[in-house]
Amino acid sequence: MDRHIAFDALHNFRDLGGYTTPDGHRIRPGRLYRADSPGKLTEGTQDWDRFLSLGIRTVIDLRHPWEAEARGRVPSHPSFTYHNLSIEHRAYEQAIQAPDVDPGPYLAERYMEVAEDGVKEIRRALELVAEAAESAEPLVFHCASGKDRTGQLAALILTLLGIPEETIIEDYSLTELAAPAILASWKSRNAGREPTWPGFGRAPQQVMRTFLAAMKQRYGSLEDYITRELSLDAEALAATLRTALLEPRPTTWPPLTHRKATPPDARTLVRLRDSAALWQLARGIDQWKPGEKDETHFRTRMQEGEVWLAHAGPHLAGAWELWWDDEAAWGPRPADAGYIHRLMTTPHTAPPGTGRRMLAEAESRIAATGRPHARLDCLASNPRLRAYYESAGYRIVGEQLAKDGGVGSPYAVTLLEKRLL
């Protein structure tokens, strides 16, 4: 499941459904949305029809009133109510910041200003979220790009719902998938010129990580901030939101189906890999980076090997690549193996065990060609992943200390093999 809901005019409209709590519950899909400004929507278009089809009953606009006036607000419609709650009181312009400004501390400081200044508006926004939740009515909250003010409110809501901090950080960083479109939109409004700050439109995970740490240092916890600074009962508010918005995680799932990818799937594969990379980074796993593999990479792998997609019902659950040689890691070898790469699942929404079932499917494809071995490699610095493959029947057969994976610098990998025939 791609959290981004596709619009022509909007780039960062997302469903918060599917995030899970440690006790096995998940946020109900279709109830809570975060977005860039729906003021870019136009009545009578497919975008507008798509927006109305979501059944949204409450729109919370976190921008300054002058922003809504200058850039437009969501068109009026009898199906929803509109609330303009400017949680930011000290306006600032990100695009004109100096190139050497570090996004982490700079944006975290701005977010702390919002937490200090915007208590009245943040309190009202949380009350509206609770009212919509109790009424079982979908709600969307937004700012201009759906990143900063929207990200702060999302962090508070997700915390109250019991979502782990690493998932909150990941959710913030998903704006990275929309960053190119956000930049392109800014340039189109500014005669094609580039912003002076390379961090414009970006959402690196260290920003939210730094902000959450600063909130804990100043207030003790986000719940303490909500209780003391917003004058809300955080415990009661959390109970309301969890009762209304959480549901047990499914115990049954549609069976996985598999199909070979074709060139039009390349964009989906890029987004899946980038989403998986953001999931890793939010959890301190320094392995993949967003943007490392583009559509050309996946189309090339389709031509030179195979790329497969797995679906659970209509929803994407994962993908993998199958190579028939891999000299960068294994050196010259006879045609006695298939090489599995980029085994990846959709974060939070893939059925349990999807990775293992995709691995078995890849192995069966290798065995069907008469090759007796399945081979793969993983970063030598990732013992958790190595243990995962060992539990699936792979054994360590060596190391490649300087694999050239085409990302600019060699790196060390552990080589693993499983006999199939």
Side-chain angles (χ1 to χ4, degrees):
M1 173 181 136
D2 188 340
R3 294 189 172 279
H4 285 80
I5 297 174
F7 288 88
D8 292 330
L10 306 183
H11 311 303
N12 203 13
F13 198 109
R14 293 190 250 143
D15 190 344
L16 290 175
Y19 287 137
T20 56
T21 64
D23 64 355
H25 289 74
R26 70 172 188 176
I27 302 175
R28 297 177 187 275
R31 293 283 297 279
L32 198 56
Y33 299 97
R34 54 174 294 171
D36 49 336
S37 173
K40 294 176 282 188
L41 296 174
T42 302
E43 293 176 277
T45 63
Q46 288 186 341
D47 268 4
W48 183 240
D49 292 342
R50 186 175 296 115
F51 179 80
L52 293 178
S53 73
L54 298 175
I56 289 169
R57 297 293 178 261
T58 304
V59 177
I60 301 176
D61 185 346
L62 302 174
R63 296 176 299 168
H64 294 277
W66 55 263
E67 287 181 275
E69 182 177 349
R71 300 285 303 282
R73 50 149 285 183
V74 63
S76 298
H77 193 273
S79 66
F80 60 79
T81 59
Y82 169 82
H83 304 266
N84 186 199
L85 300 171
S86 177
I87 66 174
E88 179 184 274
H89 291 201
R90 289 176 253 185
Y92 63 102
E93 178 56 61
Q94 294 186 25
I96 64 173
Q97 299 305 310
D100 61 348
V101 171
D102 186 339
Y106 173 72
L107 289 176
E109 287 176 12
R110 305 290 78 74
Y111 296 178
M112 291 300 291
E113 292 173 355
V114 170
E116 180 182 344
D117 298 342
V119 291
K120 177 182 175 182
E121 294 83 2
I122 296 171
R123 178 173 61 246
R124 182 58 184 146
L126 289 176
E127 289 172 343
L128 288 170
V129 171
E131 290 169 11
E134 286 189 296
S135 301
E137 295 178 345
L139 172 147
V140 62
F141 55 97
H142 74 88
C143 55
S145 63
K147 175 173 75 81
D148 302 301
R149 291 162 285 188
T150 299
Q152 290 174 261
L153 184 57
L156 293 173
I157 296 169
L158 292 174
T159 295
L160 289 166
L161 286 168
I163 301 302
E165 183 172 301
E166 61 266 22
T167 303
I168 295 171
I169 294 169
E170 175 195 354
D171 177 70
Y172 172 82
S173 71
L174 283 177
T175 290
E176 288 283 284
L177 302 181
I182 292 171
L183 175 60
S185 179
W186 186 91
K187 290 169 65 175
S188 71
R189 299 193 310 268
N190 291 272
R193 64 186 177 89
E194 295 279 348
T196 59
W197 192 39
F200 176 79
R202 302 293 303 279
Q205 54 87 21
Q206 63 263 31
V207 176
M208 182 54 65
R209 194 183 302 278
T210 303
F211 168 64
L212 293 177
M215 289 290 285
K216 291 177 185 176
Q217 183 175 15
R218 179 176 297 182
Y219 300 109
S221 69
L222 267 65
E223 292 89 347
D224 289 340
Y225 165 78
I226 290 168
T227 297
R228 294 204 307 264
E229 303 301 319
L230 304 186
S231 300
L232 291 171
D233 185 334
E235 185 174 346
L237 183 58
T240 296
L241 293 179
R242 294 179 191 189
T243 298
L245 292 175
L246 295 183
E247 63 183 7
R249 198 157 187 255
T251 56
T252 60
W253 302 80
L256 284 187
T257 58
H258 306 90
R259 70 169 176 86
K260 193 180 292 187
T262 60
D265 295 313
R267 181 178 182 274
T268 295
L269 289 159
V270 170
R271 289 183 71 85
L272 174 58
R273 187 192 181 278
D274 286 349
S275 297
L278 293 170
W279 183 95
Q280 293 173 4
L281 290 171
R283 289 155 181 79
I285 303 171
D286 188 12
Q287 180 164 333
W288 290 356
K289 303 291 191 303
E292 286 178 333
K293 303 298 180 185
D294 59 11
E295 293 184 29
T296 299
H297 164 84
F298 287 104
R299 285 192 291 265
T300 300
R301 296 319 316 166
M302 293 174 205
Q303 293 171 355
E304 298 180 359
E306 299 177 359
V307 182
W308 287 80
L309 299 172
H311 286 80
H315 300 296
L316 180 68
W320 74 90
E321 298 174 12
L322 188 55
W323 301 10
W324 301 121
D325 61 77
D326 185 7
E327 290 196 18
W330 294 81
R333 294 277 180 138
D336 63 347
Y339 300 83
I340 302 167
H341 285 272
R342 265 165 288 285
L343 186 78
M344 47 193 177
T345 62
T346 52
H348 308 286
T349 58
T354 293
R356 185 65 63 87
R357 279 179 278 175
M358 291 195 304
L359 196 59
E361 183 70 18
E363 292 164 0
S364 69
R365 173 65 185 144
I366 294 168
T369 68
R371 291 172 170 83
H373 298 102
R375 293 180 182 141
L376 49 82
D377 64 77
C378 67
L379 279 181
S381 58
N382 192 340
R384 287 176 55 190
L385 184 57
R386 183 174 67 241
Y388 174 82
Y389 287 127
E390 287 182 298
S391 70
Y394 287 77
R395 63 185 183 89
I396 297 172
V397 295
E399 287 193 347
Q400 167 59 269
L401 299 179
K403 178 182 176 181
D404 181 2
V407 295
S409 59
Y411 50 93
V413 296
T414 301
L415 305 176
L416 297 104
E417 180 181 88
K418 179 178 183 178
R419 186 164 186 86
L420 305 177
L421 300 174

